[in-house]
Each structure stands twice: as C-alpha cells, then as structure tokens.
Amino acid sequence: MLLTALTGSAAEPYRSPYEVKFTFPEEELIGDLQGARGDWKNEASVPYAEWFSAATQKRFGSWGPAAQHFPPPPGVEQKGAAWMEQRIIATALRFRGCHYQHHHIPDWEPPAGWPIGKGALPPAKGVDCSNFTAFVYNQALGLKPSGDIHEQAAMTEVAGPGTERRSPVLRIDRPAGYADFARQFKTGDLLFIRGQPDGEVTHVVLWVGAIGRSRNQVPLILDSTAGARQDENGTTIPDGVQLRPFTTTSWYFRCASHALRLIPAP
C-alpha cells in the first residue's frame, strides 16, 4: 500500500514527491486508531472538557496539556518487530501536515488569550520534534518517552508498554559513513541531531527506512520541524510533520549524533 500526502494551502498545495510503501495492510497497522485510541479529544492526560481551564493553564502553561499514557494496543504481544516498526510510521503519518508548535500533543490549539510560549509561534495545532516522536510511540505501542529532547536523547529505558512497566532502549552510535546509516538503522529508530556538528542535541527524527520511496533511493526521515528544507524537486517543504530526504549535504546527516531503538529485536 502506498501512502502519499497532499498538504499546504488550498490555492497552492504542497505535493510531496515522497511515499511510504507498507508491507502490512493499513487496516491491520492502524485500524484501531479509527476508534477511541485515535480520537484527538483523547490525546491528553486531562479530559477534553478541561483542556482550556484555568487549572490546565496554570499546570502546563503555553505547552498545553500533557499526553496521556496509552495502554499497549490489543494483541501487540503477538506481533513481530516489522509490524511494530511499520505501525510507528503509519501512526506518525496520520499527523502529516500538522504545524510545528511547542506543544505536548498534536491537536492542542490554544484559544485567544492563552500564554504564548517558546518562539512566539502563531497559535495553531501542532507539535514539536521530541513531543511528536514521544506521542507517536505512546499512541502506537504504549511506550512513553519523555517529550524533552535532552531527556529523550539520553534514554536507556522507556516507560511502557502500559503504566507499570519499563522497557530497555538500545543506543546506536553514529555510523562511520553515509551508506552505513541505511545499513545500521531500522524503520522507526529515533535519530538525534545536533544543532552543530560538535554541539548538543537539539532535534530528533523518525528513520523511515526500507519502506520509504524517493528518487535515487535517498533515505527518508519523518519529523516535525520549523526549518526550511527542500525536497528532491527543489521545492521548500512546509513546516511541521513531513517526510524529508536524508541526503549527504543535509543538516540531518552532517549533524547526526546517535540513534535509539525502542522496538525489541525479534
């Protein structure tokens, strides 16, 4: 099954040249997200009726309510690693086109008068890089990483599946060469990016891996960013959650730090 996207303004929509080809049917991967688990009003740790309350504003500030900890999806224990890897990407692509915002959950949209937070971004629905990856793993598999980029990058274990367990996390150091990234990383791995080649980690992306489709087989990543990146046609990719190319000249490659694997080996 090919999954493509059409995002942007109604007048001039962005047409992505990138695709994802799953080896499992979409209904098998994310069919359950058509129900309560995928209902945007159930994303937060507080009921939807309290999203815009004074208590929520005092507790969470400009970031809006934190994500709930989702239970593991039914039957996940019988699924293999390949299914879990592809479920991560399929879940993430449900938010393709969401704007980049410093929020904990993708569908938080602050009302007029709500405090403006980091970056003074215009109020809109959306999510930042590390809260995006944390939310995707949480909703997809019941694994709940920290949404803080530095805490997420340093994980040795992750909460879940479920609220009473913790699972080990495998660290993969930066591969030696560009071609080694595709050989060593798996679909769904978290790849952390430094602000500068010798600086601290400031960003995280999902590695799409073998299920990604691009011109000349350039690897794809999936992330939420405010940065202006270009696709293989030279077109600027919109902000927020989008597929982007992992090229030899990209910031993603030049400043790659390390990866973390949350999905256990078969």
Side-chain angles (χ1 to χ4, degrees):
M1 183 271 291
L2 288 177
L3 184 55
T4 61
L6 181 64
T7 59
S9 68
E12 297 182 3
Y14 171 68
R15 296 181 180 274
S16 175
Y18 305 122
E19 300 174 335
V20 172
K21 186 175 183 180
F22 297 108
T23 62
F24 297 90
E26 183 177 5
E27 177 64 23
E28 182 180 338
L29 287 172
I30 56 171
D32 63 313
L33 298 184
Q34 303 305 311
R37 190 182 187 96
D39 186 339
W40 62 274
K41 291 185 178 181
N42 293 333
E43 291 177 354
S45 58
V46 299
Y48 176 68
E50 299 176 17
W51 278 22
F52 310 107
S53 69
T56 295
Q57 184 179 114
K58 181 178 181 180
R59 181 178 178 186
F60 297 107
S62 63
W63 291 82
Q68 68 148 305
H69 192 163
F70 289 88
V76 69
E77 298 85 359
Q78 285 73 50
K79 302 293 186 181
W83 182 91
M84 288 188 277
E85 292 164 3
Q86 293 189 34
R87 179 171 167 89
I88 289 296
I89 301 302
T91 301
L93 285 170
R94 296 178 68 244
F95 302 103
R96 195 172 180 184
C98 285
H99 288 292
Y100 180 84
Q101 293 284 337
H102 292 288
H103 298 161
H104 291 130
I105 57 175
D107 286 288
W108 162 249
E109 185 171 12
W114 200 271
I116 295 176
K118 184 178 179 181
L121 298 168
K125 291 182 181 181
V127 68
D128 65 287
C129 65
S130 51
N131 278 292
F132 171 60
T133 52
F135 187 84
V136 166
Y137 263 92
N138 183 10
Q139 189 178 60
L141 298 177
L143 299 174
K144 193 175 187 297
S146 168
D148 179 275
I149 183 64
H150 300 111
E151 292 178 2
Q152 193 176 120
M155 286 189 302
T156 58
E157 60 178 12
V158 61
T163 58
E164 303 300 322
R165 295 177 57 189
R166 300 193 70 83
S167 299
V169 170
L170 174 67
R171 179 185 170 107
I172 305 166
D173 291 330
R174 178 190 170 102
Y178 175 75
D180 297 315
F181 280 72
R183 286 194 284 265
Q184 295 184 30
F185 292 165
K186 293 184 177 182
T187 297
D189 283 350
L190 299 178
L191 174 60
F192 293 89
I193 315 297
R194 301 179 186 275
Q196 300 293 332
D198 58 350
E200 67 176 2
V201 167
T202 60
H203 192 63
V204 60
V205 309
L206 289 166
W207 187 261
V208 175
I211 59 175
R213 296 291 181 270
S214 66
R215 186 184 302 166
N216 298 325
Q217 290 73 56
V218 171
L220 299 179
I221 56 92
L222 177 58
D223 69 340
S224 182
T225 183
R229 316 292 172 192
Q230 291 188 331
D231 63 25
E232 62 190 30
N233 297 322
T235 302
T236 298
I237 302 171
D239 81 294
V241 179
Q242 298 284 350
L243 290 164
R244 294 180 171 88
F246 185 81
T247 64
T248 56
T249 58
S250 68
W251 168 62
Y252 298 110
F253 170 64
R254 290 185 293 102
C255 295
S257 171
H258 66 282
L260 295 179
R261 182 167 298 155
L262 280 62
I263 295 173

